[in-house]
Amino acid sequence: MRGALDCSSGNNQKTMNRAVRILRIINAEKSEFNEDQASCGKLCIRRCEFGAEEDQEWLTLCPEEFLTGHYWALFDGHGGPAAAILAANTLHSCLRRQLEAVVEGMVAAQPPMHLSGHCICPSDPQFVEEKGIRAEDLVIGALESAFQECDEVIGRELEASGQVGGCTALVAVSLQGKLYVANAGDSRAILVRRDEVRPLSSEFTPETERQRIQQLAFVYPELLAGEFTRLEFPRRLKGDDLGQKVLFRDHHMSGWGYKCVEKSDLKYPLIHGQGRQARLLGTLAVSRGLGDHQLRVLDTDIQLKPFLLSVPQVTVLDVDQLELQEEDVVVMATDGLWDVLSNEQVARLVRSFLPGNREDPHRFSELAKMLIHSTQGKDGSPTGEGQVSYDDVSVFVIPLHSHGQGSSGH
Amino acid sequence: MRGALDCSSGNNQKTMNRAVRILRIINAEKSEFNEDQASCGKLCIRRCEFGAEEDQEWLTLCPEEFLTGHYWALFDGHGGPAAAILAANTLHSCLRRQLEAVVEGMVAAQPPMHLSGHCICPSDPQFVEEKGIRAEDLVIGALESAFQECDEVIGRELEASGQVGGCTALVAVSLQGKLYVANAGDSRAILVRRDEVRPLSSEFTPETERQRIQQLAFVYPELLAGEFTRLEFPRRLKGDDLGQKVLFRDHHMSGWGYKCVEKSDLKYPLIHGQGRQARLLGTLAVSRGLGDHQLRVLDTDIQLKPFLLSVPQVTVLDVDQLELQEEDVVVMATDGLWDVLSNEQVARLVRSFLPGNREDPHRFSELAKMLIHSTQGKDGSPTGEGQVSYDDVSVFVIPLHSHGQGSSGH
């Protein structure tokens, strides 16, 4: 395994105390254990072949490995580590199953209209061509389905065991010369090269998904139970604002307008707070992830889950098309790292660390550790920025250069 | 007026004849008249001031011009020209009204939390600052509201007069040193400079808005009345596909998967066809625009309007930040132009035409005409591409260089 992992349980005393009327902020006091979880390993996809007889079911003719890849995943839990632990133990199996279901299409020159390869309409290949459907679209589809399957498993398991909680999920899969990055939550992956820093994921938070969340509350107002307003204002309104024209945004607006404040606008906002403090229904800092099936606004029956998506956004890096350098890496990390270090700062740390440690076989692991240390306010922190993360921090450093091992060796 | 307009009613015999079961394709035979409409003019925004007494209503104290800008708009009608004509006569008034409602906020250093300027909470300016709300967000909001207001007016007017139809809308507004481009439909605006071609709008079609449209059908399945399937397949399925695993996409998928074909999958697809031929409910080639309030799938009660958005996407070009060259222009055109000319081809035509015509005071109008001629297969067409547009074509060429007149003179 060439990915380097290090997890810190940096539970430096957290002194957040933002009392919010009837609402308590989850994770305002970090729990005693590390809520980050990680897993990585080789991904072995078996081949299934269609039986000789047309009426035969799919048969596993070659149960041994057929296609291999690598898998790295980070899960940042909230409301306890249960969901993150389940995800770390489950998601890769879901993904393997989803990939095995379409692997015949993935290895064809072009995914066939019919998975069996039978051509019912002579111009079927042309229809697939015109839609621009490629093998990588099957992997993206498999990642999307795997996240949803895993979310359902977590829901069942948590209910059966009487546990609660949710987690973000950031997954990287190296397969057939491409790196797939699937993200649901506020972790982040970036590509760091000598002359380039490229984001490989976007964050999904109540702020970045404001329009989707407001739209849902517009379609299903009952989800707010009369307790919240779906409108966005620069701050929470109060009695003195009644009758005034104040800045606001609704679900269909990218810009801002003014509206005359009515009594219902004084309710607690569906999305409240700025940046790191933004919360969905006063409760959750992320808008995508796994779990949270039972999560409710404190002391109410208002559910969070209808507003959360388990489906990730997937980006594809065509590694074979990059002219790879020895020190090109992907850095994956939970929000604990990105809260205190920008993409550019991480890139500078990578570029200053790797060239001086070429002889160290563990240099990528060491780099991951160094990145974590630099968020912990340890003496000699190479950032010199003085910023300290009070959140859990987990980091993978994935070297992309394959040393002539072929693309499946990442 | 420094915008150049030319409209062609290039109704070259159109020989589209794609019979689709019970569905007729709107505009398959172009109507006899030009369905494109255009309008442009100076935009005069009056200032309203708050009365001296706190309990006074808003008063128009300075009815004369306060802020001036310029406005260009293209409307591409379908199902007749009625909606496009109404939009050309109405949208600028809606926009002026919406801008006048927020102009006090637009001219402030930062839009105030309260339009009255009263500061109810001492840190209100800080809340606005933290949200990053700028004057341009008020113009974006006004454009969004104006499109929706205009859509309501068109709905009322068409119903009152027993007319039908809809139209796309592409609007450019030059105001306070910025150019705002608002688009709802498949027209397009691009910036052409000596060394740069920059798209200023995106197209909104059943293909580009697939996920939004499928999502709506997922939430409100009754909108399809059991006649359509919301799933996407590479082609329409038929009896022979039953029981086979075929490529498909649902609302939450960016990638593709395989599903086992059931009988309900054989229904006509919610979105069908590729590229220029893609149709929403077999009927409409665009997914945003104005009008179409009465539009139904032929011989059914299935409405199109619930799937259509009247809200535009707005992009902002900071003209004052560009180091403007004499021949920097914005080209706005309906789809008739972009069907046969790429952005790069249009840019080449612009760059080859303007320098040789510096002395011609009408050169921007002439350029617009030349662009239209180059789509009509006229002799001596400078494209030499031989492609001919059978659709209506309308073009504005907007020179950005102000000849020292100040940014409001565009």
Side-chain angles (χ1 to χ4, degrees):
Chain A
M1 178 49 50
R2 302 181 57 233
L5 163 71
D6 202 359
C7 293
S8 146
S9 41
N11 291 324
N12 306 23
Q13 58 285 3
K14 192 152 194 172
T15 52
M16 291 161 72
N17 213 339
R18 294 184 301 280
V20 179
R21 215 174 47 112
I22 58 162
L23 307 160
R24 193 186 54 169
I25 291 171
I26 287 217
N27 272 1
E29 304 293 332
K30 292 304 290 182
S31 39
E32 283 166 33
F33 29 71
N34 190 343
E35 290 179 325
D36 280 4
Q37 296 289 326
S39 65
C40 62
K42 202 169 163 187
L43 198 63
C44 301
I45 300 151
R46 293 165 304 179
R47 187 180 198 170
C48 304
E49 281 191 1
F50 201 66
E53 300 297 311
E54 282 214 8
D55 55 356
Q56 270 188 281
E57 272 302 299
W58 287 83
L59 298 176
T60 303
L61 295 182
C62 334
E64 67 279 9
E65 288 174 22
F66 172 62
L67 204 65
T68 61
H70 287 89
Y71 169 93
W72 298 264
L74 292 178
F75 308 96
D76 185 354
H78 50 255
I85 292 169
L86 280 166
N89 292 335
T90 311
L91 183 52
H92 55 280
S93 309
C94 300
L95 180 60
R96 201 191 56 211
R97 196 158 41 240
Q98 294 289 344
L99 286 169
E100 284 176 355
V102 299
V103 69
E104 291 295 325
M106 282 166 53
V107 297
Q110 179 191 62
M113 168 86 184
H114 298 85
L115 189 55
S116 65
H118 292 191
C119 200
I120 285 176
C121 175
S123 46
D124 277 351
Q126 196 185 325
F127 284 112
V128 174
E129 176 75 33
E130 280 174 6
K131 287 267 182 193
I133 306 171
R134 296 152 303 172
E136 70 182 60
D137 294 308
L138 297 182
V139 181
I140 295 170
L143 278 160
E144 292 172 331
S145 299
F147 272 60
Q148 291 179 283
E149 186 189 333
C150 183
D151 184 54
E152 288 161 21
V153 171
I154 289 172
R156 283 196 302 271
E157 296 277 329
L158 289 181
E159 192 176 7
S161 61
Q163 292 179 289
V164 297
C167 66
T168 68
L170 173 63
V171 169
V173 174
S174 160
L175 199 63
Q176 293 179 298
K178 295 198 165 73
L179 187 79
Y180 299 82
V181 177
N183 189 39
D186 60 357
S187 295
R188 187 188 299 170
I190 65 172
L191 169 69
V192 179
R193 311 184 68 194
R194 191 182 298 164
D195 307 313
E196 185 190 9
V197 187
R198 194 192 305 180
L200 298 177
S201 64
S202 315
E203 283 94 75
F204 297 97
T205 68
E207 272 188 319
T208 65
E209 297 210 277
R210 171 186 63 85
Q211 286 190 272
R212 175 180 73 71
I213 292 165
Q214 285 184 316
Q215 167 75 14
L216 202 67
F218 170 74
V219 171
Y220 298 113
E222 63 274 18
L223 292 176
L224 304 184
E227 295 280 339
F228 290 84
T229 171
R230 80 164 184 272
L231 300 182
E232 182 185 15
F233 303 99
R235 63 161 163 78
R236 185 169 178 198
L237 302 183
K238 46 189 184 178
D240 288 351
D241 296 307
L242 272 172
Q244 294 272 324
K245 283 187 177 161
V246 304
L247 284 167
F248 87 108
R249 275 204 292 198
D250 201 355
H251 65 95
H252 57 276
M253 299 167 71
S254 294
W256 287 80
Y258 284 96
K259 88 174 289 276
C260 191
V261 178
E262 301 160 47
K263 213 169 159 210
S264 64
D265 299 324
L266 305 190
K267 292 177 181 171
Y268 199 82
L270 172 57
I271 300 167
H272 189 55
Q274 284 301 117
R276 296 289 308 151
Q277 267 65 54
R279 291 292 181 276
L280 173 62
L281 290 164
T283 306
L284 207 55
V286 288
S287 57
R288 296 202 191 190
L290 309 174
D292 291 319
H293 295 72
Q294 304 297 324
L295 184 59
R296 283 171 163 75
V297 176
L298 192 70
D299 294 334
T300 76
D301 258 341
I302 301 171
Q303 296 179 62
L304 276 288
K305 190 66 175 171
F307 293 97
L308 306 178
L309 285 185
S310 59
V311 65
Q313 188 188 61
V314 184
T315 57
V316 185
L317 181 68
D318 197 338
V319 178
D320 281 354
Q321 293 300 311
L322 295 175
E323 288 185 23
L324 281 181
Q325 305 281 324
E326 173 74 21
E327 274 137 16
D328 291 348
V329 296
V330 168
V331 177
M332 291 169 64
T334 51
D335 63 334
L337 182 78
W338 308 109
D339 284 351
V340 297
L341 291 176
S342 68
N343 294 2
E344 287 295 340
Q345 285 174 317
V346 168
R348 274 200 297 275
L349 291 171
V350 169
R351 289 174 190 142
S352 68
F353 182 89
L354 287 179
N357 293 275
R358 285 228 170 96
E359 304 310 312
D360 181 355
H362 304 294
R363 62 191 180 130
F364 297 108
S365 294
E366 292 300 322
L367 171 56
K369 278 185 206 157
M370 185 273 275
L371 287 173
I372 289 171
H373 288 162
S374 70
T375 69
Q376 301 296 305
K378 303 274 162 72
D379 281 343
S381 153
T383 61
E385 312 277 338
Q387 273 206 283
V388 176
S389 180
Y390 295 99
D391 200 357
D392 301 328
V393 184
S394 302
V395 176
F396 274 120
V397 174
I398 306 173
L400 292 176
H401 199 278
S402 57
H403 299 282
Q405 295 174 14
S407 56
S408 69
H410 295 145
Chain B
M1 180 48 50
R2 302 178 58 231
L5 164 70
D6 202 358
C7 293
S8 145
S9 41
N11 291 324
N12 306 23
Q13 58 285 0
K14 190 152 195 172
T15 52
M16 291 161 72
N17 213 338
R18 297 183 301 280
V20 179
R21 213 173 49 109
I22 58 161
L23 307 161
R24 193 185 52 164
I25 291 172
I26 287 218
N27 271 2
E29 306 292 333
K30 291 305 291 182
S31 40
E32 284 165 34
F33 29 70
N34 190 343
E35 289 179 325
D36 280 4
Q37 296 289 327
S39 65
C40 61
K42 202 169 164 186
L43 197 63
C44 301
I45 300 152
R46 293 165 302 179
R47 186 179 198 171
C48 305
E49 282 191 0
F50 200 66
E53 300 295 314
E54 281 213 9
D55 54 356
Q56 269 187 282
E57 274 302 299
W58 287 83
L59 300 175
T60 302
L61 296 181
C62 337
E64 68 279 9
E65 290 174 21
F66 172 64
L67 204 65
T68 62
H70 287 88
Y71 169 93
W72 299 264
L74 292 177
F75 307 96
D76 185 353
H78 51 255
I85 291 168
L86 280 166
N89 292 335
T90 310
L91 183 53
H92 55 279
S93 309
C94 298
L95 180 59
R96 201 191 56 210
R97 198 159 37 239
Q98 294 289 345
L99 287 170
E100 284 176 356
V102 300
V103 68
E104 290 295 325
M106 283 165 53
V107 296
Q110 179 192 61
M113 168 87 184
H114 298 85
L115 190 54
S116 64
H118 290 192
C119 200
I120 286 177
C121 175
S123 46
D124 277 350
Q126 196 186 325
F127 284 112
V128 174
E129 177 74 33
E130 281 174 7
K131 287 267 181 193
I133 306 171
R134 297 152 301 174
E136 69 182 62
D137 294 306
L138 297 183
V139 181
I140 294 170
L143 278 159
E144 292 172 330
S145 300
F147 272 60
Q148 291 180 283
E149 185 189 334
C150 182
D151 183 55
E152 287 162 22
V153 171
I154 289 172
R156 284 196 301 270
E157 295 277 328
L158 289 180
E159 192 177 9
S161 61
Q163 292 178 291
V164 296
C167 66
T168 68
L170 173 63
V171 168
V173 173
S174 161
L175 199 63
Q176 294 179 297
K178 296 199 165 73
L179 187 79
Y180 298 83
V181 177
N183 188 40
D186 60 358
S187 295
R188 187 187 300 168
I190 63 172
L191 169 68
V192 179
R193 311 185 67 194
R194 193 183 297 166
D195 307 313
E196 185 190 9
V197 188
R198 193 192 306 180
L200 297 177
S201 64
S202 315
E203 282 94 74
F204 297 97
T205 70
E207 272 187 319
T208 64
E209 296 209 279
R210 171 186 63 83
Q211 286 189 272
R212 175 180 72 74
I213 291 165
Q214 284 183 317
Q215 167 75 15
L216 203 66
F218 171 74
V219 171
Y220 298 113
E222 64 273 18
L223 292 175
L224 303 184
E227 295 279 338
F228 291 83
T229 170
R230 81 165 182 268
L231 299 182
E232 181 185 15
F233 303 100
R235 62 162 163 77
R236 185 168 178 197
L237 302 183
K238 46 191 186 179
D240 288 351
D241 296 308
L242 271 172
Q244 295 271 324
K245 282 186 177 161
V246 305
L247 285 166
F248 88 107
R249 273 204 293 198
D250 201 354
H251 65 95
H252 56 275
M253 300 167 71
S254 293
W256 287 80
Y258 284 96
K259 87 174 289 275
C260 192
V261 178
E262 301 160 45
K263 214 169 158 211
S264 64
D265 299 324
L266 306 189
K267 291 176 181 172
Y268 198 83
L270 172 57
I271 299 167
H272 190 54
Q274 281 303 115
R276 295 290 307 150
Q277 267 65 55
R279 291 292 180 278
L280 172 63
L281 291 163
T283 306
L284 207 53
V286 288
S287 56
R288 295 202 191 190
L290 309 174
D292 291 319
H293 295 72
Q294 304 297 323
L295 184 60
R296 283 171 164 74
V297 177
L298 193 69
D299 294 335
T300 77
D301 259 341
I302 300 171
Q303 297 179 63
L304 276 287
K305 191 64 176 172
F307 293 98
L308 306 178
L309 285 186
S310 58
V311 66
Q313 188 187 61
V314 184
T315 57
V316 185
L317 181 68
D318 197 337
V319 179
D320 281 354
Q321 293 299 311
L322 295 174
E323 287 184 24
L324 281 182
Q325 306 281 324
E326 172 75 21
E327 271 136 18
D328 292 347
V329 296
V330 168
V331 177
M332 292 169 64
T334 52
D335 62 334
L337 182 79
W338 308 109
D339 285 350
V340 297
L341 292 176
S342 68
N343 294 2
E344 287 295 340
Q345 285 173 318
V346 167
R348 276 201 295 275
L349 291 171
V350 169
R351 289 173 190 144
S352 67
F353 182 90
L354 287 180
N357 292 275
R358 287 230 168 94
E359 304 309 312
D360 182 354
H362 304 295
R363 63 191 180 130
F364 297 109
S365 294
E366 293 300 323
L367 171 56
K369 278 185 204 156
M370 186 272 275
L371 288 172
I372 288 172
H373 288 161
S374 69
T375 69
Q376 300 296 304
K378 302 274 162 72
D379 280 344
S381 153
T383 61
E385 312 278 338
Q387 272 205 286
V388 175
S389 179
Y390 295 98
D391 200 355
D392 303 325
V393 184
S394 303
V395 177
F396 274 119
V397 174
I398 306 173
L400 292 175
H401 199 278
S402 57
H403 300 282
Q405 295 174 14
S407 57
S408 68
H410 294 143

